[in-house]
Amino acid sequence: MTAPADVPQPATEPAEKAKAVAQTNTLVSKLWNYCNVLRDNGMSTIEYVEQLSYLLFLKMVDEIQSDPWGGQDMSGIVPAEYNWQSLVGKRGVELEKHYTDTLEHLGRHPKTTIGTIFDGAQNRITKPALLEKLVVELIGREEWTLQGADLKGDAYEGLLNKGASDTKTGAGQYFTPRALIDAMVDVTQPGPDDTVTDPACGTGGFLIAAHSYIRDHHMKKMSLDERMAYDSGRKIWGNELVTGTARLAAMNMLLHGIGKSDGPSLISVGDALAEKPSGRHATLVLANPPFGRKSAITVIGQDGDVEKEDIQYDRDDFTATTTNKQLNFLQHIMSLTAVGGRAAVVLPDNVLFEGGAGEKVRRKLLDEFDLHTILRLPTGIFYAGGVKANVLFFDKKPPRADGKPHTIETWIYDFRVGQHFTLKQRPLTRAHLDDFVAAYRVGEPRSSRVESEDDNGPFRKFSYEDLIARDKVNLDITWMKDPALDDADSGLAPEVIAEEIVRDLQAALNEFTAIARSLGAEVDVPEAEIE
């Protein structure tokens, strides 16, 4: 008997899974070794991944065209004078010049995947000998199209993960821990009828995970047209502000088998907050908007207030005027979500407690949406130092005739108290979130949820009346006591304790800064870097 589509299928056999992981790690190690060579040339990790993206794309196009079992003419995508073979046939300074010309030419494909990948592309490899090594010894010796989408896609994502740890470039702000992404996708259960988007997609992690879930659980029952909808952008798309990051997202999705080289770009580039969604809404929004409070914009809200900045946005769909970037993204996502749709969004604590605009947005969220679940996240899982964040899960409902609020009760799962993670010594894994996923009761009515038996347990519910009565509708609620505070022999390594102290101090500073700004103080505190 075939398992229902909405029930997670059995995991891959351990031996096969271990083999796939080993293959991925081998490929990542090989690619990373060349990154070390290029870093000696003054190139950052992300710049290296960019250059690798260009060369991988050209090599795969060449492999598709020269396939003896049915090659396709790819000259319409990459003309012969700029293809992979044109690079292989050159050496030294001649290769360097031709590579620079190739990048410039291939950037002239607006609104296509190839256009997104090569838009504004520049050659960062200043030593011709190093470029030759990449072309001849690394990229040229592999048959990349023979690698499965999972292998080459996961290998590329592994490089992006390594790049995120390059704190000097700030690349970590575009990276959400894969374990958290997978848990969010597992409980929101993307399906073939969903349209999925991420308005701040970074390198595309949420979009790829959602597509992977649909492929694993539904693809066999989907029609050809339903499958092709993912390549055309009708079913899945993202937006990214930074051109360089957008190219990584486009390449990441392409390597995972999403989209086509000469097809429409699934990643748009620009400021998602610039205008309200026009005729295109998504039934599932997954997002982790970039950290950092202040947005260099002006928003005119329904309250008529105006904040004067360099750029002015007239968003009549916004309830509140604010320069708080995360509050603006939350309001944008509330508009972007289709009626009957749902959203899961990572947001910092200040969104839950900040007064003024924050209170207005929270009231609207509770009244006009069903804010049914909040997951409180621990520190130590993001590359940005001292960040205390949450995942808000909410559904968008049609207006009620009786005017009553849509939120009846909100369940809060505290995964923060008593949890100790670091990026290196104890990174977050998907298994750490198993208890949350089990408590969420995926696919079951929320009436089946059960509060923790222990008063100090992690899962509790709060009624709408309880929440709306709180001062400034403060949703930053905690009730648990950290056992490590009473246990001097908690077993935590001294370096872990020291790192947590630094993170807690930075988080406290961030919160005090938010309070000061809400009171009108001009405070400019740079975020600390914790390596």
Side-chain angles (χ1 to χ4, degrees):
M1 180 177 178
T2 304
D6 58 352
V7 176
Q9 302 300 306
T12 308
E13 291 296 329
E16 294 180 6
K17 190 172 183 179
K19 181 181 178 181
V21 170
Q23 288 178 317
T24 300
N25 289 340
T26 298
L27 198 52
V28 170
S29 296
K30 185 180 295 186
L31 296 172
W32 189 248
N33 286 338
Y34 276 82
C35 177
N36 289 332
V37 173
L38 290 173
R39 284 203 298 182
D40 292 339
N41 190 41
M43 189 181 301
S44 72
T45 306
I46 290 300
E47 286 175 331
Y48 163 70
V49 178
E50 278 190 337
Q51 301 301 312
L52 189 67
S53 301
Y54 308 147
L55 295 170
L56 276 175
F57 182 92
L58 292 171
K59 181 61 162 58
M60 289 193 298
V61 167
D62 181 67
E63 290 175 10
I64 293 172
Q65 183 160 290
S66 59
D67 183 0
W69 301 101
Q72 305 173 36
D73 181 9
M74 306 292 284
S75 60
I77 301 174
V78 180
E81 60 266 35
Y82 296 110
N83 65 13
W84 177 258
Q85 294 303 323
S86 71
L87 292 176
V88 173
K90 293 177 175 57
R91 294 288 184 271
V93 175
E94 184 185 9
L95 171 62
E96 179 187 23
K97 184 180 183 307
H98 184 65
Y99 177 56
T100 300
D101 292 342
T102 298
L103 296 182
E104 181 182 353
H105 175 83
L106 295 179
R108 302 170 187 167
H109 292 258
K111 298 184 179 180
T112 63
T113 298
I114 183 175
T116 300
I117 292 173
F118 288 94
D119 182 29
Q122 294 182 357
N123 177 19
R124 303 288 186 186
I125 308 173
T126 59
K127 294 183 179 179
L130 293 181
L131 176 60
E132 191 173 315
K133 276 181 174 289
L134 276 178
V135 172
V136 177
E137 296 183 16
L138 178 62
I139 310 298
R141 289 184 180 177
E142 296 284 346
E143 290 292 324
W144 296 94
T145 54
L146 296 180
Q147 310 282 3
D150 286 339
L151 175 57
K152 64 191 178 190
D154 288 348
Y156 188 80
E157 199 162 1
L159 276 180
L160 292 175
N161 191 357
K162 285 181 175 289
S165 64
D166 190 350
T167 58
K168 293 180 181 179
T169 64
Q173 66 180 305
Y174 306 112
F175 194 85
T176 305
R178 185 57 190 259
L180 178 59
I181 289 176
D182 287 343
M184 291 169 63
V185 168
D186 285 345
V187 299
T188 53
Q189 292 187 301
D193 294 330
D194 275 316
T195 49
V196 185
T197 192
D198 180 350
C201 69
T203 55
F206 279 112
L207 301 175
I208 290 166
H211 182 270
S212 176
Y213 186 96
I214 294 169
R215 182 194 64 192
D216 293 344
H217 292 80
H218 303 282
M219 199 66 81
K220 291 181 180 179
K221 297 182 180 180
M222 293 169 61
S223 67
L224 179 60
D225 182 66
E226 287 176 321
R227 296 183 187 187
M228 291 179 65
Y230 291 95
D231 293 335
S232 67
R234 285 183 287 145
K235 285 286 189 178
I236 191 166
W237 71 94
N239 182 85
E240 171 53 41
L241 176 64
V242 181
T243 301
T245 309
R247 85 169 89 257
L248 300 179
M251 190 66 186
N252 200 11
M253 293 182 72
L254 192 64
L255 289 172
H256 279 89
I258 313 170
K260 294 186 178 300
S261 302
D262 57 342
S265 177
L266 306 185
I267 308 297
S268 58
V269 183
D271 190 344
L273 301 175
E275 55 187 38
K276 65 181 182 181
S278 178
R280 195 182 197 197
H281 299 78
T283 60
L284 176 58
V285 181
L286 299 162
N288 178 12
F291 295 135
R293 274 185 39 86
K294 196 166 184 180
S295 184
I297 62 172
T298 293
V299 178
I300 303 176
Q302 292 174 343
D303 52 17
D305 293 340
V306 178
E307 293 279 350
K308 291 186 177 180
E309 295 283 343
D310 294 336
I311 305 174
Q312 182 170 303
Y313 291 166
D314 187 354
R315 292 286 299 259
D316 58 10
D317 57 327
F318 278 12
T319 299
T321 298
T322 178
T323 56
N324 183 313
K325 188 186 303 181
Q326 283 81 30
L327 280 175
N328 284 332
F329 262 109
L330 176 55
Q331 293 186 92
H332 177 69
I333 290 167
M334 290 161 69
S335 292
L336 184 60
T337 307
V339 174
R342 59 212 187 280
V345 191
V346 181
L347 293 164
D349 278 9
N350 71 75
V351 170
L352 300 185
F353 66 75
E354 187 171 301
E359 181 180 350
K360 291 179 183 179
V361 174
R362 289 191 295 276
R363 286 184 181 277
K364 180 174 182 177
L365 190 59
L366 291 171
D367 289 343
E368 300 181 23
F369 295 74
D370 180 7
L371 176 62
H372 54 81
T373 311
I374 297 176
L375 170 63
R376 289 170 58 83
L377 297 173
T379 58
I381 66 173
F382 296 105
Y383 287 97
V387 170
K388 287 187 176 180
N390 316 265
V391 185
L392 274 59
F393 298 87
F394 55 88
D395 299 340
K396 188 169 188 175
K397 305 288 188 179
R400 289 181 56 150
D402 57 12
K404 292 183 178 180
H406 280 297
T407 301
I408 298 174
E409 57 190 20
T410 298
W411 291 78
I412 300 179
Y413 191 99
D414 195 326
F415 184 56
R416 181 179 304 173
V417 175
Q419 300 294 332
H420 305 277
F421 295 98
T422 64
L423 295 174
K424 296 179 180 178
Q425 282 84 8
R426 189 172 187 260
L428 178 72
T429 68
R430 174 61 181 80
H432 288 127
L433 290 160
D434 281 350
D435 288 344
F436 163 71
V437 174
Y440 193 100
R441 297 291 178 95
V442 181
E444 299 180 38
R446 295 196 190 107
S447 58
S448 68
R449 290 180 173 181
V450 179
E451 289 187 288
S452 301
E453 294 181 5
D454 185 352
D455 289 340
N456 200 45
F459 205 33
R460 289 184 62 178
K461 66 179 177 181
F462 298 84
S463 70
Y464 170 85
E465 290 74 21
D466 290 337
L467 298 176
I468 211 72
R470 290 174 59 84
D471 182 41
K472 298 179 183 178
V473 196
N474 186 336
L475 301 181
D476 185 28
I477 304 173
T478 184
W479 62 93
M480 294 179 67
K481 186 176 181 180
D482 192 339
L485 296 177
D486 296 328
D487 184 9
D489 299 319
S490 60
L492 294 176
E495 62 271 18
V496 174
I497 296 174
E499 183 174 334
E500 288 202 350
I501 291 172
V502 173
R503 291 187 186 281
D504 286 343
L505 288 173
Q506 180 62 31
L509 179 60
N510 290 344
E511 291 180 7
F512 279 121
T513 301
I515 294 171
R517 284 171 174 158
S518 70
L519 295 174
E522 291 292 333
V523 183
D524 187 16
V525 179
E527 292 186 1
E529 289 185 355
I530 301 176
E531 298 190 23

